[in-house]
Amino acid sequence: MKVIISGCGKIGTAILQSLIKEEHDIVVIDTSANVIETISNRFDVITLCGNGASYDVLVEAGAKSADLFISVTPSDEYNMLACFVAKKLGVRNTVARIRNSEYNNSGFDYIENELGISVSVNPEFLTAKKLFDVLSLPSATSVENFLASDMEMIEVVVKDDSKIENLPLYELRKKIPRKFLVCLVEREGKVHIPNGNFIIKAGDKVGLFASKTDANEILKYFGYNKKRIKSIMIVGASKIAFYLSKLLIGAKSSVKIIDIDEQKCLEFSEKLDKATIVHGNGMSQELLIEEGVLSTDALVTLTGKDEQNVLMSIFANNKNVPKTITKVNREEILKLSNELGLDTVVSPKQLVADLIVSYARALESSKNSKIETLYSLFGGMAEACEFKILSNFKTTNVPLKDLNISKRVLIAGIIRNGETIIPCGEDVFRIGDKVIVITAEEPVYDLSEIIG
Amino acid sequence: MNYKLILSTVLKVIKIEAVLMLLPLITALIYKEDCFYSFLITMVVAFTIAHVVQKFIKPGEFYFYAKDGLITVSLTWIAVSLVGAVPFVLSGEIPSFIDAFFETVSGFTTTGASILNDVESMSKGTLMWRSFSHFIGGMGVLVFIMAITRKTTDRPIHILRAEMPGPIVSKLVPRSKDTAKILYLIYMGLTSILVVLLLFGGMDLFESLTHAFGAAGTGGFGIKNNSIAGYSPYIQWVLAIGMLVFGINFNLFYLILLKKIGVIFKSSELRTYVLIVISAVALITFNIYPLYNNFSSAIRSATFQTSSIMTTTGYATADFNAWPNLSKIILFTLMFIGGCAGSTAGGLKVSRIVIALKKIKAELKKLLYPNTVSVVKLDGEKIDEGVTSGVSTYMSIYFICFVILTVLISFNGLSFETTVSSVSACFNNIGPGFDLVGPTSNYSVYNGFSKIVLSIAMLLGRLEIYPLLLLLMPTTWKKK
């Protein structure tokens, strides 16, 4: 697929890095000659130095025959204009980053339609949503909601004193009388899809496919007995903090936001009535303790500096704050998060990159099945795809045990009429079903490719 | 540096080279020649060794930086030449390994300088391998590997840059692999057209293939002692034009395929190239007319020799050694200019000359009006300061290398003209020079040491100096 990316900052580079793994033909546009030089040395793409909203530059980049145009420059207006021009030139799909909440209101559909923007992404809101999901299930290190169903993928580390240690999975299923499935296990840095004889040990990170209502109950067996999070402390009055606070306040949690910049504090206190805003340096441990970090349920560090976020979270972990979430942008630190003993780590740019990759895959998908959504799991080491079965799909109404399904994937669920079935050998695929496929190796682009 | 990945790439290239030896092998089979066995042995042994060693090294990491690219390219070219020389020695047609190495380097670097006194006595298989090496070397060995194999490295641009000649390497399409494929398809397409045209001229398939390979790679190995002189005027014209075509930047052919014909007229490199050729032809025709007393043969000889030297091919239809001094000096000058960037030709490249002249103009203007600010532009686009200074640095290194090589060759004690022209002919990948190494004679007059120096000169010229220079720098190999 021909893809044009305009703007190659943090987010643009993360998108580029993910898309290049999918073997797309990519043209990168940026106004900075230095950025362009670095990109052309690092990636196998064509680079163009210029204004991504300019007609001439877009023509030179091949917009007339491109399939996807992504504008992720820092300016919303610029991105909208670039998408508009690109669409008029003949690009089939356009993605714009639009962050300003003043655009993201009820009239936004109108803007999207008129300007020909296929998808708009707001990395900050996306991150806030993800953080909110994690905070609603604090035992998990990560939670992924499957859009089409009431199920979620919960990533959780098995504790030393859990009741299920050293049990094979088939026993586990008998022991816990709920609808769930252990899909993935991470041990010693590698992710596997386990079979029924797999024995879980303490320290393993497992991926649980379970319904939202059962989640807390199931997690008890894994050694977790956490209460709902009611009070949250956020350091850094960023856009993410704003969206997250709104979501949390909506869920009746108490929120305290700390920031070093007085102006921002004033702004926040004007916009967020129910939150407590503190003006001070979050890096000061004394201040954190004074503001009650020891009694809070969760600390979320969202300042612009990765190092500061990491240090604050480590401090909170040592003080036994029940839940800490760290925002990290640099990959180097993301990779170190285990060594640093961090609990949950989120990377906004990776969230956006995952979203765009799943969108690009959906554009490419074949006639007999369609990728609806793609979820990146275990820090990108595994994936869950939601396929929709279309009328051309061949092997419908055949029991799964009679299909030769590839060993490298797991069919975690079949969603039919809003109900999720965790399939056994007798279940069948029907037209219109949505199928959730988990893979830990090569990505799956088409459902029929896993049926050999 | 990623030694494992570099080594495994080199081994991969050797395996491919062994496969490519099928062409001379088949030729030898058709003509029932003994050299069949020397090719067979070389293929089997080289492939097996490379394959076995490759099994033992697993490149764990795929990181690959600019220096890795440069080192890979220079090591590959040396390895390919060493392996390619083996059949010559085994068949006994070139008994000395140094001679065989010289001949192979000359082949792969598309120089076409030979040490053979009697080309016509060689077997057809060997001649085919000599000419085929021009074809392989012309567009680049690693570019070929990139086009046909699965992903080799994460950052193939470093290999493309190190192997493709010219100051700026621009990709045609986003992925390097696809760019390499397109380049090779254009290359093979143009070569096939040339083969057909030569077949029309009455050459048999063997002759047209070898000559088309020689012209396509701008190499210049012939299969006759008098090069092209014995062939019909039609063939001479076809080859003259053919060589000129292969001296043009291949990116332009791609743009023609995309029906963007307008770009061709905008390319100042192409304009300059054509202008230089036309003026050289005009001057030489005028200068040599008294020798021929026949306008059509004078212009044909002038065009052929100009095209052959300018594109650094080295075919000859006339003994230009016997031409008046003006013509010889013009040809000598053309040797240094060479073809366009991104072609198979050697030399300094027209685009470098254009950029250098523009830079000189800007600097002179600055002397006159010290406060002017001027930007060097090529085809309407600003040229980065890094590129212009890169061009100046390259030219300095180029002339320093030229002087050092000339001094080294002068130890052999041959005439001034022979020494200077042989270094120029090898360094610029042309082949024949003047006097003792003129078109009617060859490099067998040199001793072993000089042949090695000249082989290095050819590699330096083909790879545009830096990769090989980096290989010789001690700091490259230091651990920290």
Side-chain angles (χ1 to χ4, degrees), chain A residues 25-26 41-42 44-46, chain B residues 155-156 161 171 174-176:
Chain A
D25 290 337
I26 303 170
N41 280 329
R42 268 183 73 191
D44 198 9
V45 296
I46 280 190
Chain B
R155 300 176 179 183
R161 279 204 199 125
K171 287 191 281 184
R175 266 182 292 169
S176 303

Side-chain angles (χ1 to χ4, degrees), chain A residues 379-399:
Chain A
M381 285 191 283
E383 278 174 5
C385 294
E386 222 171 75
F387 286 98
K388 182 167 186 176
I389 294 186
L390 304 176
S391 53
N392 298 40
F393 195 76
K394 286 197 186 88
T395 45
T396 47
N397 294 322
V398 182

Side-chain angles (χ1 to χ4, degrees), chain B residues 153-167:
Chain B
T153 72
D154 268 351
R155 300 176 179 183
I157 183 71
H158 295 310
I159 285 185
L160 213 58
R161 279 204 199 125
E163 204 175 34
M164 299 285 291

Side-chain angles (χ1 to χ4, degrees), chain A residues 1-3 23-27 33 37 40-46 60, chain B residues 64 151 154-158 161 171-178 381 384:
Chain A
M1 205 160 68
K2 284 181 76 176
V3 183
E23 309 236 314
H24 295 300
D25 290 337
I26 303 170
V27 181
E37 189 172 337
S40 67
N41 280 329
R42 268 183 73 191
F43 300 104
D44 198 9
V45 296
I46 280 190
E60 201 186 334
Chain B
F64 204 75
K151 175 166 125 175
D154 268 351
R155 300 176 179 183
I157 183 71
H158 295 310
R161 279 204 199 125
K171 287 191 281 184
L172 306 168
V173 288
R175 266 182 292 169
S176 303
K177 183 184 163 69
D178 296 337
E381 269 178 48
D384 212 53

Side-chain angles (χ1 to χ4, degrees), chain B residues 364-395:
Chain B
L364 285 178
K365 204 168 153 197
K366 200 155 180 85
L367 282 179
L368 282 176
Y369 311 101
N371 294 323
T372 39
V373 176
S374 55
V375 172
V376 181
K377 282 174 151 187
L378 189 68
D379 300 341
E381 269 178 48
K382 182 193 158 200
I383 293 190
D384 212 53
E385 189 60 33
V387 175
T388 50
S389 77
V391 167
S392 339
T393 317
Y394 182 77
M395 287 188 144

